[in-house]
Amino acid sequence: MTSRFIYKSAATIRLFLFLWCVPILALASPTPAEIGRWEKQAANVTIIRDNWGIPHIYGKTDADAVFGLMYAQCEDDFARVEMNYIEKLGRKAEVYGEKELYNDLYVRLVIDSAGARADYEKSPAWLKKLLLAFADGINFYLYKNPRVKPALLTRFEPWFPLLWTDGSIGAINTADVTPEELKSFYTGTSYPVVQRASGFDEHTSGSNGFALAPQRTASGKSILYINPHVTFYFRPEVHMVSEEGLNAYGAVTWGQFFVYQGFNEHCGWMHTSCNVDVADVYREKVSRQNGKLVYAYNGKQRAVAERKVTVRMKDGGSKVFTTYATHHGPVMAVREGEYVTVKSVNRSLNGLLQSWLRTKARGLEDFKKTMDYRSNASNNTVYADRFGNIAYWHGNFVPLRDRQFDWSKPVDGTTAATEWKGLHPVSETVHVINPADGWIQNCNSTPFTVSGNSSPKKENYPAYMAPDGENFRGVNAARVLSRASGFTIESTIKAGYDRYLAAFEVLVPALLNAYESWPVNDSLKSRLAEPLAVMRSWDYYATEHSVATTLAIEWAQKLSSNLGKVYIEEGEDDQVQATKRFVAGAAPADLLVPFDRTVTELKKTFGSWGMAWGDVNRFQRLTNQLENQYDDNKPSYPVAFASSTWGMLPSYNSRAYANTKKRYGVSGNSFVCAVEFGDRLKARSLLAGGNSGNPNSPHFFDQGKMYATGSFKEVLFYREEVEKNAERTYRPGE
């Protein structure tokens, strides 16, 4: 179903920096044999922390590098590592209490821990070594740091990384079925889907990826621009090296043992989110026979499977659910009197194989072999390599379906005609390799504008394969990449940090026209004359000192929620179309009254409507990671960037809180990197805030000012560079 629901719990955002919760389970004492194994492996690992606190892990084997990486991640933020696995295990209620009960059930229905254990047992020997090293690295950290008190997981198991399908720890594909629907079904009580309080919430996810071919660069070498948009501090920057050919640099989500978005000396990869249909909802015809539930399928009745799921809670209590499933998947809701099931894939062995093997790819042909695993179920891939190749794949895991059905809506579960018929080969999915135009961009937008005239053609693909529409980021990215050549790392970063807000090309002229048509003798006309004069002279670029930027963004947030909708259902207007349609149908009051309210609110809040954007829009890292603790009286940096909703390429989603007047950033650009491939790789990077989650570390916020201004640091990729800039060299446990 096209409009898939990607579940990202609030716990992903509200992570403890230090956990004061009493562990629910006593720490299992490691055996002497385990301790001996850990210490032996630690002796094969060297961790060099550079002057930014980035861990460069050197191991004799790939497993040694994994062991060291997990140890280093725990040093930087064990709480986030642990919480990502608590969430994937469906055990948040054991930490946060009953409020997480149905979120846990939601996860348990679509992620099977027993399946993860089974996949571990059948994993190839080389992968088992990596998985064991993953668990050992974390467990060794807990053994060596007894003062660290886990919230719940006192021992990590080697099958934990098999709880996801493509490396996206925070993403679960459930079509459009929500946790509220699940709760309604399993309680028999109606729970409304949570609605936005007013206007719309700016998107906290997304990403930008660019690739430039040699004909577009000054050096004649390809360049990759990596720009994921996620919750701040969601990923650290790391470097993994082994004597078995591993040399990968980039970002990991806390708890991952492989570089998720990054590069090696041969090639690089960047993932952007997409709306490819990877999960479907089935309408099931369920009845009761002889006291048992059955469902109709191909003219016969099949038994509805029942399974007991026990969800434990923080107070020691638990709730046992009788859950139901057909062969399509778990029953997760009732709609119009019909049970609905969800067919999806949310964890797989192949997904982990694909994620690891791409970190060791030596060029395009190698990388294409990893794509053939077809297990990346939530992402597009932008690629570049040292041989001058650039490429783009829109999605990867794409079920083959009968095109006579509308897969953007729930389909009939009673017939075999609606079954998935395997997966599309990668060659059939939307992709482009070495486009003639020499550039690629994707900003969570349509794949049919990824490379100008060289883009794939929409008519050549089924609708479910690429329902994504255009957005203003995509418009802006295509503009900056198509108009220039001779790119360097510096000019690529400049392009990626273009602050033009393309949405206001549509919105502001409509606002000014509405003002011109307003009655002359109305008080609103005179009241808005001065602020609208500011808007009239604006060039649509967000800058730190721009008053127009403040007025525009605060005003636009009060308009239709459709203006901010990036992920669309099949057949819907995309963001650009929706904005133009809104403007065309808006009465003058629809535009002017919200603008008047914006002016009034700014006066009330700040004493003046003429507030520069940087005075309102700030970057502050909290020592207390709980929500709503931003403080106008504490130091912060002014930020010129804005939400990607308006076409801003360097995404910065900010908002004011109940206890603040100013807006504070919560998500957007996280790990950003520009890489130029060649005989000797060159790269520059930037991380939101800093690499450490410890507020006492010098690397907690040492990149804060740099982040606020878009000032990048040199990537230290070669060992001689790392050692020259080493802050600390040690082995795990020292």
Side-chain angles (χ1 to χ4, degrees):
M1 190 174 184
T2 300
S3 182
R4 61 193 176 92
F5 183 82
I6 302 179
Y7 170 66
K8 293 180 182 288
S9 82
T12 306
I13 300 172
R14 301 190 308 271
L15 293 173
F16 294 140
L17 186 61
F18 295 107
L19 297 176
W20 296 288
C21 303
V22 177
I24 293 175
L25 300 175
L27 178 61
S29 298
T31 66
E34 286 176 323
I35 295 171
R37 184 177 76 239
W38 298 341
E39 291 180 337
K40 182 179 179 180
Q41 189 152 35
N44 293 331
V45 179
T46 299
I47 302 174
I48 303 178
R49 296 275 184 175
D50 68 20
N51 51 347
W52 298 103
I54 295 164
H56 300 259
I57 317 296
Y58 298 91
K60 290 184 179 297
T61 67
D62 288 354
D64 294 336
V66 169
F67 180 93
L69 175 67
M70 300 319 301
Y71 191 94
Q73 282 190 47
C74 291
E75 288 183 302
D76 285 333
D77 209 328
F78 171 76
R80 288 176 183 268
V81 171
E82 182 191 18
M83 189 53 66
N84 276 338
Y85 285 101
I86 289 173
E87 181 177 347
K88 278 296 186 184
L89 288 162
R91 298 181 64 185
K92 285 168 27 188
E94 294 176 60
V95 177
Y96 295 111
E98 188 174 359
K99 66 181 181 179
E100 297 291 350
L101 187 66
Y102 290 94
N103 286 329
D104 281 351
L105 179 62
Y106 188 88
V107 171
R108 298 275 192 95
L109 288 183
V110 296
I111 299 181
D112 179 18
S113 295
R117 291 185 180 94
D119 276 352
Y120 171 71
E121 294 300 330
K122 68 181 183 184
S123 294
W126 66 264
L127 181 59
K128 274 191 174 180
K129 290 180 182 179
L130 302 185
L131 290 166
L132 183 60
F134 154 85
D136 283 354
I138 301 175
N139 292 329
F140 186 50
Y141 170 81
L142 291 174
Y143 166 68
K144 296 296 289 188
N145 295 273
R147 294 175 63 184
V148 174
K149 303 300 181 183
L152 180 66
L153 303 178
T154 58
R155 188 176 184 87
F156 281 69
E157 300 293 342
W159 52 267
F160 280 8
L162 287 159
L163 289 167
W164 68 82
T165 184
D166 60 12
S168 299
I169 283 181
I172 296 175
N173 302 307
T174 57
D176 63 349
V177 176
T178 67
E180 291 84 11
E181 286 186 288
L182 179 87
K183 185 176 181 180
S184 294
F185 175 74
Y186 282 101
T187 62
T189 305
S190 177
Y191 290 90
V193 175
V194 176
Q195 300 293 326
R196 299 179 177 96
S198 62
F200 56 86
D201 295 328
E202 294 169 331
H203 291 278
T204 60
S205 62
S207 294
N208 302 334
F210 304 160
L212 296 160
Q215 68 262 38
R216 286 276 180 172
T217 67
S219 65
K221 307 293 184 181
S222 60
I223 293 177
L224 179 69
Y225 185 69
I226 300 169
N227 183 202
H229 300 164
V230 295
T231 304
F232 289 162
Y233 325 120
F234 189 68
R235 292 186 179 128
E237 186 171 347
V238 304
H239 185 196
M240 303 174 69
V241 185
S242 83
E243 295 176 16
E244 294 182 334
L246 175 68
N247 191 1
Y249 191 107
V252 298
T253 305
W254 296 105
Q256 286 176 334
F257 68 78
F258 53 86
V259 171
Y260 181 54
Q261 314 214 57
F263 54 92
N264 58 38
E265 63 267 52
H266 306 291
C267 61
W269 55 95
M270 165 62 204
H271 300 306
T272 61
S273 300
C274 65
N275 213 28
V276 174
D277 190 350
V278 298
D280 288 310
V281 172
Y282 286 82
R283 304 187 315 272
E284 308 285 6
K285 189 175 181 180
V286 177
S287 59
R288 190 173 291 275
Q289 289 184 357
N290 301 320
K292 297 289 186 179
L293 290 177
V294 296
Y295 67 102
Y297 185 72
N298 274 358
K300 297 180 180 180
Q301 297 294 324
R302 291 187 174 187
V304 172
E306 295 187 6
R307 179 168 68 99
K308 301 290 186 183
V309 175
T310 301
V311 181
R312 295 180 175 85
M313 290 175 279
K314 183 178 179 181
D315 61 5
S318 63
K319 188 172 179 64
V320 180
F321 295 92
T322 300
T323 66
Y324 306 97
T326 72
H327 72 284
H328 293 126
V331 177
M332 298 187 72
V334 170
R335 294 179 181 175
E336 299 177 350
E338 293 182 312
Y339 282 24
V340 297
T341 56
V342 174
K343 184 175 180 65
S344 61
V345 176
N346 284 295
R347 44 146 255 95
S348 77
L349 173 59
N350 277 349
L352 191 56
L353 290 168
Q354 180 174 354
S355 296
W356 176 263
L357 291 172
R358 69 170 167 249
T359 69
K360 300 185 74 172
R362 300 179 65 84
L364 181 60
E365 293 308 310
D366 261 6
F367 198 86
K368 287 164 68 175
K369 290 176 183 176
T370 72
M371 295 295 290
D372 285 338
Y373 279 93
R374 296 178 293 174
S375 291
N376 194 330
S378 62
N379 294 314
N380 312 313
T381 303
V382 182
Y383 169 92
D385 68 29
R386 64 187 294 241
F387 307 104
N389 298 302
I390 63 173
Y392 173 80
W393 294 270
H394 195 73
N396 180 243
F397 172 90
V398 187
L400 180 62
R401 304 165 171 97
D402 189 328
R403 298 193 196 186
Q404 70 174 307
F405 297 99
D406 182 357
W407 293 92
S408 68
K409 297 180 175 61
V411 294
D412 184 0
T414 69
T415 172
T418 56
E419 296 295 342
W420 291 357
K421 307 179 191 310
L423 298 177
H424 281 278
V426 176
S427 60
E428 292 181 1
T429 63
V430 186
H431 67 281
V432 61
I433 296 176
N434 293 327
D437 280 16
W439 57 269
I440 288 170
Q441 67 80 25
N442 184 262
C443 301
N444 315 118
S445 50
T446 174
F448 305 122
T449 59
V450 295
S451 188
N453 295 325
S454 304
S455 302
K457 305 303 179 187
K458 185 174 184 178
E459 59 270 20
N460 294 336
Y461 302 93
Y464 62 72
M465 196 174 280
D468 314 71
E470 188 61 277
N471 61 43
F472 286 109
R473 259 186 303 142
V475 169
N476 200 22
R479 178 182 62 84
V480 299
L481 294 181
S482 64
R483 292 181 179 178
S485 59
F487 280 98
T488 62
I489 287 181
E490 290 74 19
S491 63
T492 301
I493 291 171
K494 184 177 179 181
Y497 268 71
D498 188 276
R499 300 197 301 267
Y500 189 74
L501 302 180
F504 291 106
E505 281 184 340
V506 179
L507 293 171
V508 171
L511 174 67
L512 296 174
N513 288 337
Y515 179 73
E516 293 303 322
S517 68
W518 200 258
V520 175
N521 58 353
D522 192 292
S523 61
L524 181 146
K525 188 86 169 184
S526 58
R527 193 163 62 244
L528 296 183
E530 192 174 354
L532 281 172
V534 171
M535 300 300 294
R536 188 173 286 108
S537 62
W538 187 36
D539 60 2
Y540 308 135
Y541 280 89
T543 66
E544 181 182 330
H545 302 291
S546 169
V547 173
T549 304
T550 306
L551 288 167
I553 291 171
E554 296 290 349
W555 162 65
Q557 290 177 164
K558 295 175 171 59
L559 303 178
S560 169
S561 61
N562 285 335
L563 306 189
K565 191 172 184 180
V566 172
Y567 296 109
I568 62 168
E569 294 193 33
E570 189 178 317
E572 278 189 321
D573 283 346
D574 63 30
Q575 188 195 23
V576 177
Q577 293 166 338
T579 302
K580 291 178 179 178
R581 187 182 296 274
F582 169 76
V583 163
D590 296 333
L591 302 170
L592 283 172
V593 171
F595 190 80
D596 187 39
R597 193 162 78 247
T598 297
V599 171
T600 300
E601 289 174 359
L602 286 170
K603 285 181 180 178
K604 181 179 179 181
T605 302
F606 297 104
S608 168
W609 59 261
M611 295 296 297
W613 182 232
D615 291 337
V616 175
N617 195 47
R618 313 291 292 185
F619 185 38
Q620 183 180 85
R621 187 167 190 183
L622 306 174
T623 54
N624 182 346
Q625 294 291 296
L626 298 177
E627 280 192 350
N628 302 332
Q629 299 299 311
Y630 294 96
D631 192 334
D632 288 339
N633 296 312
K634 291 183 178 179
S636 61
Y637 294 112
V639 179
F641 317 129
S643 170
S644 61
T645 298
W646 314 119
M648 171 70 67
L649 293 181
S651 175
Y652 187 80
N653 299 307
S654 64
R655 60 178 179 265
Y657 291 83
N659 56 322
T660 71
K661 295 181 178 180
K662 298 176 182 179
R663 301 168 59 114
Y664 293 92
V666 294
S667 66
N669 279 15
S670 53
F671 169 72
V672 192
C673 188
V675 191
E676 182 180 86
F677 295 94
D679 293 335
R680 188 173 178 86
L681 180 147
K682 300 177 183 177
R684 299 184 68 190
S685 69
L686 182 61
L687 192 69
N691 216 60
S692 174
N694 182 355
N696 296 317
S697 167
H699 306 300
F700 180 70
F701 205 45
D702 57 341
Q703 296 181 59
K705 187 173 182 180
M706 295 163 60
Y707 182 88
T709 58
S711 302
F712 282 53
K713 63 186 184 295
E714 295 292 334
V715 165
L716 305 174
F717 186 76
Y718 297 98
R719 184 150 186 173
E720 64 270 20
E721 298 173 335
V722 175
E723 291 178 342
K724 185 178 179 180
N725 293 276
E727 186 176 82
R728 183 187 173 205
T729 301
Y730 61 103
R731 300 189 187 281
E734 293 181 350

